[in-house]
Amino acid sequence: MQVHGLKDRTQDLRKSLNDSLEGDIRDFLINEAELHTYDDLTKVNPVTPSTVLKCLQARYSAKVFYTHAGCTLVALNPFQPIPHLYSLDVMREYHSAPQPQVNTLKPVSTSLT
């Protein structure tokens, strides 16, 4: 009898956590206009496949093809040439950075014209 009661409580707790997470995801995704502003995916909360992919999709739609995920750079293929993506100013900034591997520089963004 105790095992059955524990199983029921575990299922109730799991359902409660799932409902809470689904609510958090809905709350996060409700403001779609700001999803492209997340230049580092570690700032996404909650971190789920849905929230991360929605942020990447929003950044792609805003023509922002590079996004940090902590110290990792996520690059999305724009499937078209972007001639001004690597301007001389941007290349100089990254080249002269004392530690380019440290996440102090924002991911490069561009707008297609």
Side-chain angles (χ1 to χ4, degrees):
M1 197 72 160
Q2 274 185 323
V3 173
H4 186 65
L6 180 60
K7 186 177 179 181
D8 288 343
R9 283 194 302 257
T10 302
Q11 287 176 343
D12 290 344
L13 180 59
R14 218 177 254 148
K15 182 179 177 350
S16 174
L17 289 174
N18 284 339
D19 291 346
S20 175
L21 179 60
E22 287 176 15
D24 289 346
I25 292 170
R26 270 193 309 277
D27 291 345
F28 179 80
L29 294 177
I30 200 152
N31 198 354
E32 271 192 61
E34 291 190 18
L35 293 179
H36 75 282
T37 64
Y38 286 86
D39 61 346
D40 190 333
L41 295 174
T42 61
K43 297 175 185 173
V44 173
N45 187 14
V47 177
T48 67
S50 298
T51 56
V52 168
L53 290 174
K54 277 296 216 181
C55 285
L56 289 173
Q57 182 181 34
R59 289 179 65 79
Y60 184 90
S61 294
K63 309 296 188 228
V64 182
F65 303 110
Y66 293 106
T67 306
H68 284 293
C71 62
T72 303
L73 182 66
V74 178
L76 302 174
N77 187 342
F79 295 103
Q80 56 187 299
I82 317 259
H84 304 294
L85 182 60
Y86 300 107
S87 70
L88 287 176
D89 291 337
V90 170
M91 287 190 283
R92 273 191 213 106
E93 183 180 0
Y94 276 81
H95 182 71
S96 65
Q99 293 180 305
Q101 72 276 12
V102 176
N103 192 3
T104 56
L105 298 172
K106 294 259 185 232
V108 178
S109 63
T110 185
S111 60
L112 296 175
T113 54

